[in-house]
Amino acid sequence: MSATQPADDAGVDDGAGTADGAQSAGAPLAVAAIDLGATSGRVMLGVADHGRIELIQAHRFENRLVKRNGHLCWDAGALWAEIRQGLADAHDLALVRGLEGLSSIGVDSWAVDYALVGPDAVGADGAAVTGSGELLGEVIAYRDRRTDGVAESFAQQVPRERQYALTGIAQQPFNTLYQLIADDRLTDLAPGSTLLMVPDLVGYLLTGQRRTERTNASTTGMLAVDGTGWSEELLAAAGVGPGLLAPLISPGERLGTVQPLLAGELGIGEVPVIAVGSHDTASAVLAVPAAEDAHPVAYISSGTWSLIGLELGAPVATPAALEAGFTNEGGIDDTTRFLKNVAGMWLVSESIRQWEDEGARVDLEDLLAAAALMPANRFRIDPTDPSFLAPGRMADRVTLAARPLDGEDERPRTPAQLVRCILESLAETYRDELHTACRLARMPLPERLHVVGGGSRNALLNQLTADALSIEVVAGPMEATALGNVALQVRSLGGVPSDDGTLRDLIRQSVPLERYRPTSSRA
C-alpha cells in the first residue's frame, strides 16, 4: 500500500494558527471526521451552523485483527479502502444538504500502534515523489505477544522511575517504545524510512506529509514529559535512531491537502487535512462540555474501559503518581490528560455474552432497569482485578469473586443482582481513583464529574457514581470522540473564535446533557 499521488506544495503550516481556507463568518461548514477504533471505524460528517454541530454517520466499517507472519496485525489496506469510501460518502452527504462539499478532514484513532513507511521514490527529474513511500510489512497490533517481558527487561537498563520522570507515561507492556525494541525490522530499514502512528499513516496517505501528531506521540513512552520533543535518552537506550521519527505537529495545525490524483478519484477536491487530537481520548476529552471556569475538569471517557482523570495545565510525573498507575498524556491547547485506565462496561458486556451463549435472550436496557430495582449494597468485587481482563465466562468469575457485605455466605443469584454488584463496584472505583487523582495533583475535588462516550447513556451507573462521589455527574455527549475531532477542525477553519472555552461552548450548544445529583442532595 502506498500513496503515489504527487502533491502540489502540500506542506505543514509553520505556525500554530488556523488552517488555510477559513470560511466567512456565519457560513455553514461541513467537515469529515475519520474515527478509527480497535473494533470498528467510521467516517462522520460534521456540519457546523448557527453555533451548533450536527453529526451524521457517513460510513461505518469493521476493524478486525488478522494473523500475518506470526503476528496479530491490523489490515491497513482494508482500513484505507473503507476510509476512501467514507470520505466520498461524506462529501456526497454534504452536497445533499446543499453545501459545497467538505471543507476539511481530521483523523483520530487508538494509540501506541504504528506503521513503518519506506522512503519516497525518486522521479525522473531526480526529485522525491511526495507520498510514494511503501508500507514496510504489517501494522502489528498492541495485543500481539512480541512485547512480553520487554518492559521488565528495559527497566533493568532504564529504571521505571527514570522512564516516568522523562515521559510521565505509565509503563504498559504495549507502549510504542517496547514495541520498537521488539521490532526486528528496524535493522534493515532503508535511509529515509519513517515510523508513523496509525492516524499519521492515514494523514500520509491523504497528503504525502510525514508528521507525528503530539497527543498520540505522548502515548508512545518516548515523548519528553513537557511535550517539546522526543526523549533522546530513551531513544538511545532503546536503539531507536531519532531519524526514524517524524517531526511533530500540534492539534489545530494544517498537515497538508488531499493529493490531486486521490482528490480526483474520490471526487472531494483538494481538501485541507487538519491535525486534530489524533489520540481518540484527546478528542473525547476536548468534547467534555465543562464550563470555562471549571478547574480542574474531571472526566470519565466511558465505554468498554473507563479513562478517568483530570485535565491539567501541567503533568504530574511524581513517584507517587507512578505507583498509583496514573499517566500524563497530551491534550489540546497544551493541556495534560492526567488519567488512569480502569474497568468499564466490559464486565457487563462479557457477562451478557456468557448468558447469550447459554441460550438466554438479554436486552441491556431491560437488564439495567431490573438492576436498578435490586436492593443496594449487597455485594462487591474489585473491578481492577487482573483476573477480569481476559474474555470468557465473565458472569461465573464475577459471581465467584463477589463478596457479601452483610456477612452472610451468599452470592449474586440473578443477572440483575450481578449487574447491580458490578455497577456499584465500578462507581466506588471511580470515586477512589478520582480522589487519588486530586490528591496527586494537589487539587480539590471538583464540583462535578463529566461522563462522555457510550457509557454516558448508562443512567444507573451515572447515578451510582454521583452518589459514591457526592458530586454532580453530567452525562454526554455520547459521540465525544467524533465531536471533538469535528470541533477542532471548525475552529481551525475559523468557524468559531479561538478564545479559551469557545469549543466547549460549542459542544454544550450541540448536544443534550443529563445531570445526576447525589441522592442525599436532592430536594
Side-chain angles (χ1 to χ4, degrees):
M1 179 177 64
S2 66
T4 57
Q5 299 84 3
D8 292 338
D9 196 28
V12 177
D13 290 351
D14 291 332
T18 61
D20 292 344
Q23 303 295 300
S24 59
L29 284 168
V31 305
I34 300 169
D35 180 20
L36 304 178
T39 57
S40 66
R42 66 249 182 94
V43 177
M44 302 288 285
L45 175 67
V47 178
D49 191 16
H50 294 93
R52 298 182 69 254
I53 291 175
E54 180 185 3
L55 286 178
I56 307 101
Q57 182 173 290
H59 184 54
R60 191 177 189 95
F61 46 91
E62 289 187 332
N63 182 22
R64 291 185 174 179
L65 290 169
V66 293
K67 193 83 171 183
R68 291 177 180 168
N69 300 320
H71 293 291
L72 282 176
C73 305
W74 305 108
D75 191 337
L79 285 177
W80 179 230
E82 298 285 6
I83 288 168
R84 294 199 308 270
Q85 181 63 56
L87 290 175
D89 290 348
H91 173 79
D92 291 344
L93 274 175
L95 296 180
V96 167
R97 297 176 71 91
L99 302 170
E100 295 181 359
L102 300 178
S103 293
S104 67
I105 299 168
V107 188
D108 68 74
S109 85
W110 69 95
V112 306
D113 288 343
Y114 61 88
L116 296 173
V117 178
D120 288 337
V122 177
D125 60 358
V129 180
T130 303
S132 60
E134 295 286 345
L135 188 65
L136 304 175
E138 303 294 339
V139 179
I140 300 176
Y142 65 89
R143 291 187 184 274
D144 188 72
R145 300 294 300 273
R146 64 176 176 162
T147 57
D148 286 359
V150 173
E152 294 78 7
S153 176
F154 189 68
Q156 301 300 313
Q157 187 176 358
V158 182
R160 293 174 64 246
E161 295 78 9
R162 179 60 178 166
Q163 293 181 53
Y164 194 74
L166 289 171
T167 68
I169 296 297
Q171 285 108 50
Q172 301 285 355
F174 46 69
N175 286 359
T176 314
L177 175 66
Y178 306 139
Q179 292 197 45
L180 283 172
I181 294 172
D183 198 325
D184 56 11
R185 296 172 294 180
L186 300 191
T187 57
D188 297 325
L189 293 180
S193 298
T194 309
L195 176 150
L196 295 173
M197 307 300 287
V198 168
D200 302 319
L201 172 65
V202 177
Y204 173 73
L205 294 171
L206 289 169
T207 69
Q209 300 302 311
R210 304 175 189 236
R211 296 294 186 274
T212 304
E213 189 277 318
R214 289 181 187 274
T215 68
N216 222 319
S218 74
T219 71
T220 63
M222 299 185 292
L223 191 71
V225 67
D226 62 6
T228 57
W230 303 105
S231 170
E232 295 181 2
E233 178 179 335
L234 289 177
L235 295 184
V240 177
L244 181 65
L245 304 175
L248 296 167
I249 185 171
S250 296
E253 293 182 15
R254 195 185 80 163
L255 174 64
T257 57
V258 176
Q259 298 186 79
L261 292 182
L262 178 61
E265 172 194 331
L266 301 180
I268 64 174
E270 295 176 36
V271 179
V273 177
I274 296 172
V276 298
S278 73
H279 182 205
D280 50 14
T281 308
S283 282
V285 171
L286 178 63
V288 168
E292 185 176 352
D293 59 355
H295 297 290
V297 174
Y299 59 84
I300 300 178
S301 181
S302 177
T304 302
W305 303 100
S306 297
L307 297 166
I308 182 167
L310 304 172
E311 183 180 70
L312 302 176
V316 182
T318 61
L322 168 63
E323 291 307 313
F326 277 78
T327 198
N328 296 271
E329 297 175 351
I332 311 300
D333 295 335
D334 298 320
T335 57
T336 294
R337 291 175 288 122
F338 183 58
L339 60 86
K340 187 172 182 180
N341 191 353
V342 300
M345 288 297 288
W346 164 258
L347 299 171
V348 174
S349 62
E350 280 296 299
S351 295
I352 290 175
R353 185 195 304 271
Q354 176 183 332
W355 293 323
E356 291 180 337
D357 287 346
E358 293 170 347
R361 296 181 61 184
V362 182
D363 179 84
L364 177 59
E365 295 301 321
D366 291 344
L367 183 58
L368 292 174
L373 298 175
M374 291 295 103
N377 298 314
R378 293 195 61 195
F379 309 100
R380 286 292 185 275
I381 60 168
D382 175 8
T384 66
D385 190 316
S387 67
F388 296 134
L389 291 176
R393 303 205 65 80
M394 184 65 73
D396 289 349
R397 283 184 281 154
V398 171
T399 299
L400 289 174
R403 66 182 191 280
L405 298 182
D406 56 11
E408 297 184 10
D409 185 16
E410 192 176 357
R411 306 284 181 184
R413 298 181 181 278
T414 67
Q417 286 182 337
L418 191 74
V419 169
R420 179 83 189 203
C421 167
I422 291 172
L423 297 187
E424 288 181 341
S425 301
L426 286 175
E428 290 191 356
T429 300
Y430 297 160
R431 176 199 64 197
D432 295 344
E433 297 298 353
L434 185 57
H435 277 284
T436 299
C438 291
R439 174 177 56 81
L440 293 169
R442 298 183 178 180
M443 295 281 187
L445 186 70
E447 295 180 356
R448 60 188 51 84
L449 171 68
H450 291 270
V451 180
V452 300
S456 66
R457 296 178 298 175
N458 191 324
L460 176 56
L461 180 55
N462 291 334
Q463 185 61 58
L464 292 170
T465 302
D467 293 341
L469 278 160
S470 296
I471 62 175
E472 182 182 56
V473 169
V474 180
M478 184 186 73
E479 298 285 2
T481 300
L483 197 56
N485 180 324
V486 167
L488 190 58
Q489 291 186 65
V490 170
R491 188 180 75 177
S492 297
L493 290 168
V496 293
S498 58
D499 301 337
D500 289 344
T502 301
L503 283 183
R504 284 180 168 150
D505 287 341
L506 180 63
I507 299 296
R508 285 195 299 275
Q509 297 300 318
S510 301
V511 293
L513 302 175
E514 296 286 341
R515 297 180 182 273
Y516 299 83
R517 290 184 297 163
T519 302
S520 60
S521 69
R522 291 180 181 175

